[in-house]
Amino acid sequence: MKKIAVVLIIASLALTACNKNEGVVKTKEESNVIMVIGNEKLTEKELQEKIETLPAQYKEYSKSEKGRKALIEEISVRKMLKQEAIKEGIEKTESYKKDLEGLREDLLIKHVVNNKIIEGIKLTDSELKAEYEKNKENFKTSEQVKAAHILISVNDKMTKSQKVKAKKRAQKILMEVNPSNFNEMAKKYSEGPTAETGGELGWFDKTSMVKEFADAAFTGVPEKIYGSVVKTQFGYHIIYIEAKKEAGYLSFETVKPSLEKELLNKKRAKEYKTWA
């Protein structure tokens, strides 16, 4: 509740401060003073250090003019509140001292764990490669196809005559389409949700598509249009098989970052339990 209250106060003051541009220097030299807040100065160096501690999405925003200004205002309001707290003698109160001791304890624990466990445990490439080989089946990939399609929709509400016309339309398109004009033809004729992107479906395995579509896509020849119109529950498809990937395994370099993270977490947890 205390944190919420402080955040609300800061937000309120920041909104007020944002309407005032006095004292803000729009320079980006590290030694330059951006703003004077009471008896403190906010420098470009301090601002940049603050930006570096932010999560990625906020870091990028803070580099824009609007984000930079908002961050300057937030820092200035915090400095104002800190100075006011000192002026009011908050540091001498028992509640402050109690909270400070709690924070001190948390920081001590954090740093000793970081020194002993986080920084103290590393993994070598040989360890990671051994783990990769040991669990290689976990990194197995199935055969995949990259394809695009033109869909002429059919549904249960259509009459028999309408369905026949839809099939004939699909067969006519099949006679006219080829790999070089497929994208354009898909944008012009496809009634599916991927029409705008030229019918592109990207890479997929057999389980990702309905059986009739998958059977055609996986038996077709790469860089060729499948030889006949394919009927599924959605309608009639003209399929362009762009490329194929054989079943195999993700490379060590591909899985290394996630494998390292997983193993480090396990090793650190085990070491922490023993050490504690």
Side-chain angles (χ1 to χ4, degrees):
M1 288 300 290
K2 287 181 180 178
K3 283 186 177 180
I4 293 172
V6 171
V7 169
L8 288 174
I9 291 169
I10 291 174
S12 176
L13 288 170
L15 285 172
T16 303
C18 281
N19 292 322
K20 301 176 182 179
N21 293 319
E22 298 83 14
V24 178
V25 180
K26 292 186 177 180
T27 179
K28 295 185 179 180
E29 291 295 326
E30 279 196 5
S31 60
N32 284 335
V33 174
I34 298 171
M35 180 183 281
V36 177
I37 308 102
N39 57 4
E40 293 183 79
K41 295 176 181 178
L42 172 59
T43 64
E44 184 63 34
K45 183 178 180 182
E46 183 182 351
L47 179 65
Q48 293 305 317
E49 287 173 350
K50 176 65 177 177
I51 289 174
E52 288 305 310
T53 66
L54 298 173
Q57 65 271 31
Y58 297 116
K59 188 182 290 185
E60 285 305 309
Y61 175 65
S62 295
K63 289 178 181 178
S64 69
E65 279 304 315
K66 187 176 179 181
R68 174 184 165 87
K69 182 178 177 181
L71 186 58
I72 289 171
E73 297 295 352
E74 181 188 339
I75 295 172
S76 66
V77 169
R78 290 182 65 86
K79 287 182 180 293
M80 284 163 54
L81 290 172
K82 181 188 73 174
Q83 290 172 26
E84 185 65 19
I86 293 171
K87 182 180 176 182
E88 294 289 326
I90 298 298
E91 291 176 299
K92 298 176 182 178
T93 64
E94 289 303 314
S95 60
Y96 171 79
K97 291 176 182 178
K98 186 177 179 181
D99 286 345
L100 187 62
E101 183 56 33
L103 289 172
R104 179 175 176 275
E105 184 178 300
D106 289 343
L107 284 170
L108 284 170
I109 292 169
K110 176 185 173 182
H111 281 274
V112 73
V113 169
N114 187 67
N115 290 343
K116 291 283 186 179
I117 307 299
I118 306 301
E119 296 299 327
I121 295 176
K122 305 292 181 183
L123 289 170
T124 63
D125 260 16
S126 58
E127 287 179 286
L128 288 170
K129 284 177 181 175
E131 191 68 21
Y132 169 77
E133 292 297 334
K134 180 181 173 182
N135 298 285
K136 199 169 183 178
E137 287 303 306
N138 294 338
F139 309 118
K140 194 171 185 179
T141 59
S142 57
E143 183 184 6
Q144 291 189 317
V145 163
K146 185 184 181 188
H149 76 139
I150 296 170
L151 171 66
I152 303 303
S153 298
V154 169
N155 59 64
D156 294 336
K157 293 180 181 180
M158 294 173 70
T159 64
K160 186 177 180 179
S161 175
Q162 287 174 320
K163 290 179 181 179
V164 170
K165 284 182 180 179
K167 184 177 181 180
K168 286 182 177 179
R169 187 180 176 210
Q171 289 172 331
K172 184 176 184 297
I173 294 169
L174 178 62
M175 297 295 290
E176 299 172 357
V177 76
N178 60 62
S180 62
N181 70 5
F182 194 93
N183 187 278
E184 181 184 340
M185 294 282 279
K187 288 178 179 178
K188 185 175 180 179
Y189 295 114
S190 183
E191 298 169 353
T194 60
E196 289 185 2
T197 57
E200 285 292 342
L201 297 168
W203 289 97
F204 55 87
D205 58 27
K206 280 186 178 180
T207 62
S208 302
M209 300 293 176
V210 292
K211 187 179 185 304
E212 301 90 343
F213 191 100
D215 287 346
F218 281 84
T219 56
V221 180
E223 301 182 11
K224 300 286 185 183
I225 309 292
Y226 190 70
S228 61
V229 169
V230 178
K231 173 71 167 66
T232 72
Q233 67 202 64
F234 304 107
Y236 295 99
H237 305 259
I238 297 95
I239 305 173
Y240 172 32
I241 297 93
E242 298 175 86
K244 285 188 177 182
K245 286 180 186 176
E246 297 299 322
Y249 298 90
L250 293 172
S251 69
F252 171 70
E253 291 303 323
T254 300
V255 303
K256 183 181 175 180
S258 58
L259 183 62
E260 184 173 26
K261 185 177 180 180
E262 181 185 348
L263 288 182
L264 275 175
N265 286 339
K266 286 181 179 178
K267 197 170 182 180
R268 284 166 177 168
K270 183 178 179 181
E271 184 65 22
Y272 175 77
K273 188 176 180 181
T274 303
W275 174 68

